[in-house]
Amino acid sequence: GTDIILMRNAGLRLDLDYLDTTGAEGVGLFRTEFQFLVSDTLPRVDEQIALYERVIASAAGRPVLFRTVDLGGDKVLPNLNRQREENPALGWRSIRFALDSQGLFRRQLRALIRAARGGPLALMFPMVTTPDEFIDARALLMKEIEWSESQGFAPPSDLSVGVMLEAPALAYSLDEIAEGADFVSIGTNDLMQFFFAADRMSPQVSTRYDLISRPAIRFLRYVSETCDGLDLPVSICGEATAEPLEALCLITLGFRRLSMPAGGIGPVKKMVRSVNLEAFKTAFFDRFQTSNGSFRNEVLALARDHGVELNES
Ligand code: PEP
Ligand code: MG
């Protein structure tokens, strides 16, 4: 009786060829920076428009959520992100870089507005840390919509503007962005790297800390409850959503919209269909109060007791 919406992550147009096969309800994260990363020169506005139009057309009426350029960090454009940084993941990247590169950013916003052709447009800004960054990015978007209108282009019929929660600090400013933001999307890849101070690119430490652990679950529960209290829709993207056990924890915490790599949709859908969420939730929080061992092992045992299908080999 609980609707769980499963979407897929994408970044290239050819990802969309298999939307039907995956069983996804739409694209919950389209990584627009891929077009920049695979090209030798900066993609022109008309090239960006062409890609976004093709993506919208391939989705055939299903929702597509565009994430504005997330450059810097592990996604470096040699000609743009020139200066060497000691800690690029913590450096001049994502929305920080976009707000400082207004020509590039505004051209992208223009391309997204044009590609929507007066239809719905959903977009979100990556790695926002403070409310100001969101307010500034949104103001640029509104300016671009106004400018496009003055040039005779129809504004989006339905505009949805969200913020990616990837820096833990933003979790404590949600009340300040709730008025201007239509939704929040949690990027667990970056969020967990910052939460545990563990570089997602380092093979030595990237798997050392666990999302299914008491501190991370407590943090995500806080975000889920805070968003609910503010009537702010919240979704989750990031690789963790594709793992049935992780996805089970996320829906138990109240998240209802997950976006994941395509291969996760089938196994996660199977898990969702096999779980009695109310019964599992009671047992989960019971265990959460009393546990002091490996919470992952406890959740795994609980899931097996409850007959949850986890795609285990
Ligand atoms: C994330 O950080 O979880 C995310 C979805 O963005 P990316 O992996 O592209 O940084
Ligand atoms: Mg990220």
Side-chain angles (χ1 to χ4, degrees):
T2 304
D3 282 336
I4 308 289
I5 297 167
L6 305 182
M7 317 268 277
R8 70 157 297 178
N9 297 345
L12 296 170
R13 203 209 61 81
L14 52 95
D15 289 339
L16 275 301
D17 289 346
Y18 300 100
L19 200 55
D20 281 333
T21 324
T22 59
E25 291 186 43
V27 180
L29 165 65
F30 188 85
R31 292 179 163 106
T32 60
E33 62 279 359
F34 282 14
Q35 187 186 24
F36 289 70
L37 293 169
V38 299
S39 150
D40 290 334
T41 53
L42 280 183
R44 296 189 315 265
V45 175
D46 58 329
E47 292 169 327
Q48 295 182 52
I49 296 173
L51 172 66
Y52 306 151
E53 282 181 344
R54 282 202 303 269
V55 169
I56 293 168
S58 317
R62 279 166 292 209
V64 179
L65 174 47
F66 291 98
R67 192 259 301 276
T68 61
V69 277
D70 184 19
L71 291 166
D74 57 322
K75 303 178 196 116
V76 176
L77 270 190
N79 289 330
L80 275 181
N81 309 96
R82 255 190 214 145
Q83 88 217 42
R84 231 188 75 73
E85 293 180 298
E86 285 296 329
N87 297 294
L90 305 176
W92 195 43
R93 57 169 294 204
S94 299
I95 198 66
R96 305 166 180 181
F97 171 78
L99 286 171
D100 289 348
S101 314
Q102 287 205 6
L104 177 148
F105 192 32
R106 290 187 65 165
R107 281 197 294 278
Q108 176 178 43
L109 296 173
R110 195 169 306 165
L112 287 165
I113 295 161
R114 300 267 172 92
R117 294 189 182 189
L121 175 63
L123 56 82
M124 60 183 176
F125 304 121
M127 212 181 120
V128 168
T129 309
T130 63
D132 281 1
E133 291 169 343
F134 173 71
I135 291 164
D136 291 351
R138 195 176 196 287
L140 280 180
L141 171 66
M142 299 323 283
K143 242 192 209 169
E144 275 307 321
I145 291 179
E146 232 174 73
W147 189 82
S148 288
E149 267 193 275
S150 76
Q151 301 298 301
F153 296 97
S157 56
D158 179 16
L159 179 66
S160 182
V161 187
V163 62
M164 282 191 80
L165 195 165
E166 305 185 87
L170 189 72
Y172 302 99
S173 304
L174 290 170
D175 53 337
E176 289 177 60
I177 56 155
E179 207 180 306
D182 297 305
F183 65 90
V184 172
S185 179
I186 302 177
T188 51
N189 303 334
D190 274 309
L191 180 65
M192 289 297 116
Q193 105 165 320
F194 298 133
F195 188 73
F196 288 117
D199 188 343
R200 64 191 266 193
M201 304 303 285
S202 159
Q204 283 79 19
V205 304
S206 63
T207 56
R208 189 171 294 203
Y209 305 97
D210 198 351
L211 183 145
I212 309 181
S213 62
R214 293 165 61 76
I217 294 288
R218 207 173 267 142
F219 182 84
L220 291 168
R221 185 184 191 181
Y222 169 79
V223 174
S224 168
E225 290 177 355
T226 304
C227 287
D228 272 0
L230 291 166
D231 256 338
L232 188 57
V234 58
S235 54
I236 301 223
C237 54
E239 314 306 300
T241 50
E243 298 294 332
L245 194 65
E246 272 79 349
L248 172 63
C249 292
L250 296 172
I251 66 174
T252 304
L253 293 174
F255 297 104
R256 296 289 172 262
R257 188 178 274 265
L258 311 181
S259 190
M260 61 194 67
I265 304 263
V268 170
K269 195 173 276 195
K270 201 165 167 195
M271 177 281 288
V272 168
R273 286 183 172 152
S274 71
V275 64
N276 176 335
L277 194 53
E278 278 315 307
F280 184 79
K281 202 164 146 183
T282 308
F284 178 96
F285 284 115
D286 233 30
R287 203 55 64 90
F288 192 69
Q289 299 294 340
T290 54
S291 134
N292 52 17
S294 155
F295 192 53
R296 169 176 291 270
N297 288 343
E298 295 196 35
V299 175
L300 188 58
L302 216 53
R304 287 183 184 139
D305 284 353
H306 282 246
V308 182
E309 300 224 28
L310 293 175
N311 209 32
E312 295 173 285
S313 44

